[in-house]
Amino acid sequence: MKDFIISESKNEQAVLVGLITQEQTEEQVKEYLDELAFLAETAGIIPDRNFTQKLDKPNPVTFVGTGKLQEIKQYMEDNEIGLIIFDDELSPKQLRNIEKELQTKILDRTSLILDIFAMRAQTAYAKTQVELAQYQYLLPRLTRMWTHLDRQRGGGVMMRGVGETQLETDRRIILNKISFLKEELKNIDRQMASQRKNRGKMVRAALVGYTNVGKSTLMNLLSKSEVFAENKLFATLDTTVRKVIIDNLPFLLSDTVGFIRKLPTHLVESFKSTLDEVREADLLLHVVDISHPNFEEQIEVVKNTLLDIDKEEKPTILVFNKVDAFTYKPKEEDDLTPATKENISLEELKKSWMNKMHNDCIFISAKNKTNVDELKEMLYERVKAIHIERYPYNDFLFQKYDEETE
Ligand SMILES: Nc1nc2c(ncn2[C@@H]2O[C@H](COP(=O)(O)OP(=O)(O)OP(=O)(O)O)[C@@H](O)[C@H]2O)c(=O)[nH]1
Ligand SMILES: [Mg+2]
């Protein structure tokens, strides 16, 4: 049942479709589609061409307008492309109608992300979490997906519209599966909660951030461990926790799944326990890829996802990573057009963020190890302060450490 969509789509070309609504500029949509293309590549799909349309809101029946859909259909037929990916979650109704019209494979942002998660999941725990989210996505879309499964099994036979009784049975099977997986997750959650309790009094810090910003690279650097890091989205799905020691001061650091805009809600829910590590952390290191054109929006996405996980705002250090890859276009003196975000230098960015964050931010390159010692110093001070605040009568530990290190 896993990989029920993409496994078929490896090395397949796809067209990507996004809307330019009132809230988005054309530039933003281009960046969103770049991200969708990156997601597709991560899943082994080859993005061929983007289609966009200006609409106030998605068409409830076919997502894009009928004329646009015909244009896309023509292009796909002319170029023999059998896969289309939408940059939003399609409603079951939209999915049905588009499939009727195009007769091709259709993915939406949610099913694409779910499938990447399914490919990436390593542990039984992560697999269970993804499987639950997949079934929850599947349930309201049963007709179409079942058709899809039949096609997989039946070797190219397109079966449209299974009978009502069959559909009811399938629905029941899936509902049972969902409650079974939920039970299973509850059990694992209980085990993990008791494991966390046994960790003692160490201060806990968590690396959080958008996907592909360098969290795992930083984890490896700080803990001298080997966590899988690579230039693909969602390289990390399971949370790893390491003991890190800076100047004899030990604390726990966790590395976890990266966030992305429009992260499917079911996925956030089923990853609840993975994210408990974040919820229970004393200090967050919010890692940002400053070389990404959209890094400011990514910061907002992460902040909002964090608020979904935990209403309470935690002490946070913003870690701007990848300064080595930062580029900008200095404005010519005779250029009278208003400055845009591409015209801002690293120095200017530093100044404005230092102000905004009251110095709770740092600019580093995990790759070149630039400013990593300063980050360690910052961490040392913050962890020490948290520990002393929490255990005011137990701070002899640190006096000893300080004497030793002075
Ligand atoms: N140029 C540059 N690349 C970096 C830096 N730090 C990390 N990278 C690269 O960025 C990519 C993503 O790094 P990861 O550490 O896997 O990022 P992550 O945030 O853990 O990503 P996910 O687990 O997928 O959410 C890798 O190709 C890294 O080599 C840096 O300071 N500069
Ligand atoms: Mg990672």
Side-chain angles (χ1 to χ4, degrees):
M1 191 68 179
K2 274 175 228 147
D3 300 342
F4 52 74
I5 315 167
I6 302 256
S7 43
E8 286 182 66
S9 311
K10 279 262 163 64
N11 297 319
E12 194 167 330
Q13 288 191 315
V15 296
L16 311 183
V17 184
L19 287 187
I20 306 170
T21 60
Q22 269 167 342
E23 296 121 49
Q24 301 159 355
T25 62
E26 231 160 287
E27 186 58 28
Q28 265 176 325
V29 172
K30 198 193 151 294
E31 278 160 14
Y32 293 164
L33 286 177
D34 282 349
E35 182 177 271
L36 189 68
F38 196 10
L39 279 168
E41 281 164 9
T42 297
I45 296 166
I46 306 155
D48 170 75
R49 196 194 136 169
N50 296 345
F51 284 90
T52 54
Q53 185 175 32
K54 275 196 179 125
L55 280 184
D56 289 346
K57 56 179 180 20
N59 180 320
V61 185
T62 47
F63 188 74
V64 289
T66 342
K68 187 53 117 185
L69 199 62
Q70 286 310 316
E71 183 193 335
I72 299 173
K73 183 179 180 179
Q74 195 58 51
Y75 178 84
M76 290 178 76
E77 278 174 12
D78 291 348
N79 295 279
E80 294 181 3
I81 291 172
L83 178 62
I84 181 165
I85 309 178
F86 291 85
D87 190 33
D88 271 288
E89 182 168 317
L90 297 174
S91 71
K93 182 177 167 188
Q94 289 169 330
L95 200 57
R96 266 198 311 275
N97 288 315
I98 298 169
E99 197 184 37
K100 215 185 284 167
E101 194 53 45
L102 296 185
Q103 314 252 342
T104 54
K105 267 182 280 179
I106 301 164
L107 286 172
D108 62 10
R109 194 181 169 85
T110 302
S111 53
L112 181 58
I113 292 177
L114 283 176
D115 230 77
I116 294 173
F117 270 63
M119 281 159 51
R120 294 282 183 182
Q122 294 289 324
T123 59
Y125 183 47
K127 284 180 186 158
T128 312
Q129 294 180 113
V130 180
E131 209 177 342
L132 175 60
Q134 281 183 323
Y135 278 118
Q136 281 167 330
Y137 173 85
L138 177 62
L139 193 59
R141 296 170 177 80
L142 209 51
T143 333
R144 184 219 170 223
M145 297 305 232
W146 225 237
T147 305
H148 213 96
L149 285 177
D150 264 338
R151 190 150 57 99
Q152 261 184 351
R153 289 204 207 105
V157 188
M158 272 279 214
M159 278 186 55
R160 272 178 202 285
V162 289
E164 278 305 308
T165 2
Q166 183 60 41
L167 205 61
E168 256 322 296
T169 322
D170 295 345
R171 261 181 67 82
R172 245 188 328 249
I173 294 174
I174 291 188
L175 280 170
N176 281 342
K177 194 85 189 158
I178 288 176
S179 54
F180 170 78
L181 289 169
K182 278 188 177 162
E183 260 325 291
E184 205 163 85
L185 280 182
K186 249 192 233 157
N187 287 338
I188 309 179
D189 284 353
R190 269 196 292 270
Q191 284 168 19
M192 308 242 309
S194 71
Q195 267 174 25
R196 284 197 301 271
K197 271 208 196 99
N198 292 337
R199 287 213 201 110
K201 289 179 170 178
M202 263 188 269
V203 171
R204 284 156 63 178
L207 290 159
V208 293
Y210 212 76
T211 179
N212 209 43
V213 294
K215 298 178 294 297
S216 299
T217 311
L218 195 57
M219 173 80 159
N220 289 340
L221 208 60
L222 293 172
S223 70
K224 298 190 181 69
S225 66
E226 276 308 314
V227 177
F228 182 58
E230 115 177 283
N231 191 22
K232 281 198 172 164
L233 300 179
F234 304 113
T236 310
L237 278 198
D238 286 293
T239 302
T240 40
V241 183
R242 297 267 187 277
K243 187 167 145 190
V244 175
I245 302 172
I246 298 176
D247 281 354
N248 287 334
L249 169 60
F251 62 96
L252 295 175
L253 182 65
S254 69
D255 175 26
T256 192
V257 55
F259 301 152
I260 195 163
R261 54 180 269 281
K262 296 188 197 156
L263 195 62
T265 19
H266 288 321
L267 209 54
V268 180
E269 276 163 32
S270 56
F271 270 69
K272 183 192 149 296
S273 190
T274 302
L275 296 169
D276 276 346
E277 209 60 61
V278 174
R279 209 190 321 260
E280 293 173 13
D282 305 298
L283 173 67
L284 299 182
L285 300 181
H286 178 166
V287 187
V288 178
D289 173 359
I290 201 171
S291 73
H292 195 285
N294 244 0
F295 79 89
E296 271 161 330
E297 198 186 332
Q298 294 185 346
I299 292 177
E300 288 308 309
V301 171
V302 172
K303 277 190 181 164
N304 288 332
T305 316
L306 285 172
L307 275 179
D308 277 349
I309 299 170
D310 189 358
K311 293 284 162 267
E312 176 200 346
E313 270 192 56
K314 288 190 189 297
T316 305
I317 300 175
L318 265 187
V319 181
F320 290 95
N321 188 29
K322 306 199 189 181
V323 289
D324 60 285
F326 178 84
T327 53
Y328 79 108
K329 291 191 208 117
K331 229 158 103 58
E332 308 276 339
E333 259 175 42
D334 56 354
D335 180 358
L336 295 178
T337 53
T340 65
K341 57 179 185 175
E342 284 98 45
N343 304 129
I344 304 173
S345 70
L346 189 58
E347 280 315 308
E348 286 169 302
L349 274 178
K350 271 186 193 169
K351 222 185 282 166
S352 90
W353 279 101
M354 290 293 223
N355 253 331
K356 225 185 280 185
M357 291 296 296
H358 309 290
N359 294 336
D360 275 342
C361 63
I362 188 158
F363 295 75
I364 67 161
S365 161
K367 187 178 157 202
N368 296 350
K369 305 203 169 92
T370 316
N371 254 357
V372 171
D373 285 341
E374 285 77 358
L375 172 63
K376 283 184 179 168
E377 243 167 68
M378 210 167 173
L379 269 171
Y380 177 85
E381 290 305 328
R382 297 295 293 261
V383 170
K384 184 173 145 184
I386 293 169
H387 195 106
I388 290 174
E389 194 190 318
R390 184 162 321 151
Y391 310 111
Y393 307 109
N394 191 18
D395 58 350
F396 65 92
L397 209 69
F398 298 102
Q399 286 163 14
K400 185 167 150 261
Y401 287 145
D402 282 347
E403 277 158 22
E404 273 175 13
T405 50
E406 260 157 23

